[in-house]
Amino acid sequence: MTLAAAIGCAWPIASRADANAEIEAGRALYMQKGCYECHGMFGQGSITTGPALAPHPIPLSAMQAYVRNPKGQMPVFSAKILSDDDIARIHAYLASVPQNPPADSIALLSNGASLGSHPSSEASVAKPSERGPSIYAANCAACHGQSGEGGIGPALIGISSRFQISDIEARIREPTGIMPTLFPAPLNAGDVREVARYVASLKGSQ
Ligand code: HEC
Ligand code: HEC
């Protein structure tokens, strides 16, 4: 049985919590299998590496067929590496991506240089205090949660009790585990500082 059929019929009667669990699992797979490296953290695509997949992915059956037999630069993902169920979860994640991610987060992902390679240009783009959250949303939230509550990556809420801002910067510059290398691109030194400052400010929900 294909999952296309299963999703088509079974999904509506599945509980909301199940649907959210599928989306979370899909997001994790999307990161772990490296789809994000070419198609962007939110499936928004990049001119240089891969087309947009979200927020309106191609139909599930077409996505399953494509991933097994891709064109061009895209690597093949066999059923051993990625099951049809897993593709369905990734599809659910991509379909759940909000319509309008902040424009500046897209600009940052597709071209890190656009948000100020020079200290002088930073002020003209946005005030530092405003840049931290958008850099975080574009580059960190997919793994560490929208509010730093954690996900694929550990929770960052309250991290300032353990880490100095310079320690957080060091973790971004020299990531471990599956955390991707984001410096020196797409994040420059200024971006790393801003996002580290923002991360240090994350506090638990009131
Ligand atoms: C190494 C880069 C790379 C990786 C990794 C990658 N893709 Fe792709 N993908 C591409 C490129 C490039 C294309 C466009 C290929 C073409 O048309 O020549 C593409 C096309 C697609 C398409 C077709 C989009 C359309 O509108 O027709 C889908 C669906 C897709 N990828 C899904 C995935 C999924 C799911 C993953 C992870 C399991 C993934 N890709 C991983 C590079 C990649
Ligand atoms: C693809 C997922 C992913 C992304 C994107 C990501 N991280 Fe991480 N991050 C991780 C994982 C996984 C770890 C744990 C690393 C380990 O286990 O060695 C981690 C660890 C960390 C740590 C150390 C936490 C601790 O308690 O030791 C910090 C700080 C951190 N990340 C900040 C960031 C920031 C800031 C960004 C965005 C600029 C970011 N991460 C982007 C996955 C990610």
Side-chain angles (χ1 to χ4, degrees), residues 53-80:
L53 303 177
H56 300 297
I58 58 176
L60 176 58
S61 53
M63 183 174 285
Q64 285 164 332
Y66 190 91
V67 166
R68 302 283 181 240
N69 190 13
K71 296 179 289 180
Q73 306 270 302
M74 163 124 171
V76 178
F77 291 84
S78 70
K80 260 189 199 157

Side-chain angles (χ1 to χ4, degrees), residues 33-100:
K33 301 294 176 182
C35 314
Y36 80 93
E37 288 177 21
C38 298
H39 293 287
M41 216 70 93
F42 298 103
Q44 79 277 16
S46 149
I47 297 164
T48 47
T49 54
L53 303 177
H56 300 297
I58 58 176
L60 176 58
S61 53
M63 183 174 285
Q64 285 164 332
Y66 190 91
V67 166
R68 302 283 181 240
N69 190 13
K71 296 179 289 180
Q73 306 270 302
M74 163 124 171
V76 178
F77 291 84
S78 70
K80 260 189 199 157
I81 301 171
L82 195 67
S83 70
D84 275 357
D85 287 12
D86 285 345
I87 298 172
R89 293 186 180 104
I90 290 175
H91 191 272
Y93 163 59
L94 293 169
S96 78
V97 171
Q99 294 274 3
N100 298 307

Side-chain angles (χ1 to χ4, degrees), residues 163-199:
F163 282 25
Q164 308 276 331
I165 289 176
S166 58
D167 298 328
I168 299 173
E169 285 188 43
R171 297 307 291 257
I172 301 169
R173 285 166 187 265
E174 286 148 36
T176 55
I178 62 157
M179 176 153 156
T181 302
L182 298 166
F183 172 83
L187 303 184
N188 64 29
D191 297 330
V192 170
R193 198 178 334 113
E194 292 307 330
V195 76
R197 210 177 282 174
Y198 171 69
V199 165

